[in-house]
Amino acid sequence: MSAANGANKHYFSALETEHSALIRWLFDKALPLWSDRGVDANAGGFYEELAQDGSVINGPRRTRLVARQIFVFATAADMGWQDTRTADNLVNHGLDFLLGKCLSGSGPVFSVVSSNGAPLKPDFDLYDHAFALFALGNAARLGHRRQEVIAAGRTIKGAMLAGWKHPVAGFEEAIPPREPLNSNPHMHLLEAFLEWEQMGDNDGWAELSDEIESLALSRFIDPETGGVREHFDHNWCPASGESGQLLEPGHQFEWSWLLLRWAVARGRSDTFSTARRLAEVGEKYGVNEATRLAIDGIWADLSARDRRSRLWPQTERIKSHLAMADLAENEESKQISILLAAEAARGLRRYFETDLAGLWHETLDEMGRPVSAPAKASSLYHITCAIRELDSYVRQHSSHG
């Protein structure tokens, strides 16, 4: 891993430098901008995109985006963003829209609604349910409308279990069943279930976390390469054709981080090697050596598929290497992980080089040049989560740096 070259006793300072820069950007630039222009104060909810000049691009509201923005503002307040009253108001603003317009009367959530709350895509979408649960678990854990939110989360979970549970493990994408089944929404379900566990609700969340972890280890992860695949048939075997051969470096890192979280919570050190291999696959085969950015796609044989670099895989690379550093077996491994996390953080900041501070580029091409496009509000979840993990790590270890 080339980023480890030249490691010395000052290796931790590189991480502290990135932490300082990212916190300042988030608190001073991004959150003020998105808490102003990214919020629909009249109809409710949040706008999906801002143009690079900061102008609003209006459109339908996805439940997953409403949920992600609830997480962003609740987490920002918890991290110490000084405008706490604004953050609390925005969390309530999001919860009002999520519970009042995205949650159906029978329990499931609508995938897409109009700004006035009319369902535009009422069909079940597992990904949107994962994020609804994640946002509610996070909000309850941080003290936002706890009893109301817990009740809503249990209602959603009950509807999912009653209507869309897969007969072997995990969940269906639709009823009647359709293919492919996908690992990605299950990854976010694991994230949501762990959030509910951490919040302290004992309503079967741990058992669901364990089921997803077992499904990942037995089906999602290729035993030959150690990489996690994306698409499967109804028996949880890799999908036929090209779709079954797709891997995403960002998901190698994200699964690595989540499996390490699960393993620490369960005291299951036997899972560490699987999580480490996922991070290794992402790092060795999913990072562009020229730009040092995580790329968008690799094939099942671990060859490069798409050498463009979206923003979100950079955030997952940060999280994975920080978790690896915490569980490093020796000082050299810890230094390598910290240096790679710092490198990933520097890479993330390249996306923030925009004319209007607080926005970002969604994609850099294989040469590291920005691809012209609006900034998606959904990316702020990835950014905030990575900065939260970085902030936690630096605060915990700075006295030892």
Side-chain angles (χ1 to χ4, degrees), residues 141-173:
R141 182 174 65 81
L142 298 178
H144 299 276
R145 295 160 60 170
R146 184 178 172 90
Q147 296 306 314
E148 177 188 7
V149 164
I150 289 174
R154 290 178 175 180
T155 296
I156 294 169
K157 173 170 67 75
M160 291 172 61
L161 290 170
W164 288 272
K165 191 71 179 66
H166 188 280
V168 174
F171 291 85
E172 303 281 4
E173 295 284 338

Side-chain angles (χ1 to χ4, degrees), residues 270-293:
D270 56 313
T271 305
F272 291 176
S273 61
T274 301
R276 289 190 180 103
R277 176 54 184 167
L278 285 167
E280 183 180 302
V281 168
E283 192 63 39
K284 186 175 182 179
Y285 302 101
V287 173
N288 183 330
E289 281 296 325
T291 63
R292 298 304 301 166
L293 298 172

Side-chain angles (χ1 to χ4, degrees), residues 345-379:
R346 283 195 301 275
L348 176 61
R349 288 200 291 119
R350 292 173 60 181
Y351 292 78
F352 303 158
E353 296 172 2
T354 55
D355 291 337
L356 179 61
L359 295 179
W360 48 81
H361 299 293
E362 291 293 335
T363 303
L364 302 184
D365 69 18
E366 63 181 277
M367 301 300 292
R369 299 168 300 201
V371 176
S372 178
K376 296 181 179 179
S378 58
S379 294

Side-chain angles (χ1 to χ4, degrees), residues 1 26 70 80 102 122 158 174 180 208 239 266 276-277 285 303 314 316 336 357 370 375 399:
M1 296 182 177
L26 180 66
I70 291 169
C102 300
L208 288 169
R266 297 295 187 274
R276 289 190 180 103
R277 176 54 184 167
Y285 302 101
S303 61
Q314 320 315 315
E316 306 314 310
I336 290 172
S399 62

Side-chain angles (χ1 to χ4, degrees), residues 33-42 44-47 73 90 93:
L33 178 67
W34 287 90
S35 64
D36 177 21
R37 303 190 194 187
V39 178
D40 187 341
N42 295 318
F46 305 96
Y47 296 115
F73 292 114
L90 289 168
H93 177 83

Side-chain angles (χ1 to χ4, degrees), residues 50-359:
L50 294 180
Q52 287 296 325
D53 64 2
S55 58
V56 169
I57 300 174
N58 201 2
R61 311 291 157 83
R62 294 178 301 168
T63 291
R64 68 189 67 177
L65 183 276
V66 177
R68 286 182 175 197
Q69 294 298 72
I70 291 169
F71 164 82
V72 164
F73 292 114
T75 299
D78 187 58
M79 288 171 60
W81 185 37
Q82 292 184 356
D83 201 346
T84 304
R85 185 175 64 178
T86 296
D88 289 345
N89 288 340
L90 289 168
V91 172
N92 282 323
H93 177 83
L95 287 172
D96 286 344
F97 196 88
L98 178 63
L99 299 178
K101 297 183 179 180
C102 300
L103 179 61
S104 72
S106 58
V109 298
F110 303 124
S111 180
V112 182
V113 301
S114 67
S115 59
N116 65 12
L120 300 179
K121 187 181 176 184
D123 297 341
F124 179 81
D125 190 300
L126 186 58
Y127 196 95
D128 287 283
H129 283 73
F131 271 102
L133 287 175
F134 174 66
L136 294 173
N138 177 261
R141 182 174 65 81
L142 298 178
H144 299 276
R145 295 160 60 170
R146 184 178 172 90
Q147 296 306 314
E148 177 188 7
V149 164
I150 289 174
R154 290 178 175 180
T155 296
I156 294 169
K157 173 170 67 75
M160 291 172 61
L161 290 170
W164 288 272
K165 191 71 179 66
H166 188 280
V168 174
F171 291 85
E172 303 281 4
E173 295 284 338
I175 296 295
R178 69 162 183 252
E179 297 181 359
L181 301 177
N182 303 297
S183 59
N184 186 17
H186 286 82
M187 179 183 70
H188 289 297
L189 281 174
L190 177 57
E191 183 179 25
F193 298 156
L194 289 171
E195 195 73 24
W196 281 83
E197 285 186 51
Q198 189 177 356
M199 185 266 288
D201 188 48
N202 298 316
D203 191 43
W205 303 100
E207 291 80 1
L208 288 169
S209 296
D210 293 350
E211 182 178 314
I212 300 300
E213 184 273 347
S214 178
L215 184 60
L217 268 60
S218 65
R219 297 293 187 171
F220 297 162
I221 297 173
D222 186 335
E224 293 187 11
T225 66
V228 63
R229 298 182 190 239
E230 296 292 320
H231 306 300
F232 301 84
D233 67 18
H234 197 255
N235 295 316
W236 289 119
C237 296
S240 61
E242 185 175 280
S243 68
Q245 302 299 308
L246 304 180
L247 280 72
E248 296 194 18
H251 287 156
Q252 313 307 308
F253 292 124
E254 198 165 4
W255 272 108
S256 171
W257 171 67
L258 283 167
L259 290 177
L260 286 172
R261 283 184 61 192
W262 178 89
V264 169
R266 297 295 187 274
R268 288 281 302 275
S269 59
D270 56 313
T271 305
F272 291 176
S273 61
T274 301
R276 289 190 180 103
R277 176 54 184 167
L278 285 167
E280 183 180 302
V281 168
E283 192 63 39
K284 186 175 182 179
Y285 302 101
V287 173
N288 183 330
E289 281 296 325
T291 63
R292 298 304 301 166
L293 298 172
I295 64 174
D296 283 356
I298 57 178
W299 294 108
D301 66 2
L302 306 184
S303 61
R305 174 173 59 86
D306 186 343
R307 297 182 64 83
R308 293 173 298 179
S309 295
R310 283 176 290 175
L311 180 152
W312 72 263
Q314 320 315 315
T315 66
E316 306 314 310
R317 188 180 176 213
I318 295 169
K319 290 155 57 178
S320 175
H321 286 307
L322 290 174
M324 297 280 287
D326 251 344
L327 299 172
E329 297 176 328
N330 53 58
E331 188 65 18
E332 181 182 7
S333 295
K334 179 180 179 181
Q335 290 185 13
I336 290 172
S337 294
I338 288 176
L339 287 168
L340 287 169
E343 178 183 86
R346 283 195 301 275
L348 176 61
R349 288 200 291 119
R350 292 173 60 181
Y351 292 78
F352 303 158
E353 296 172 2
T354 55
D355 291 337
L356 179 61
L359 295 179

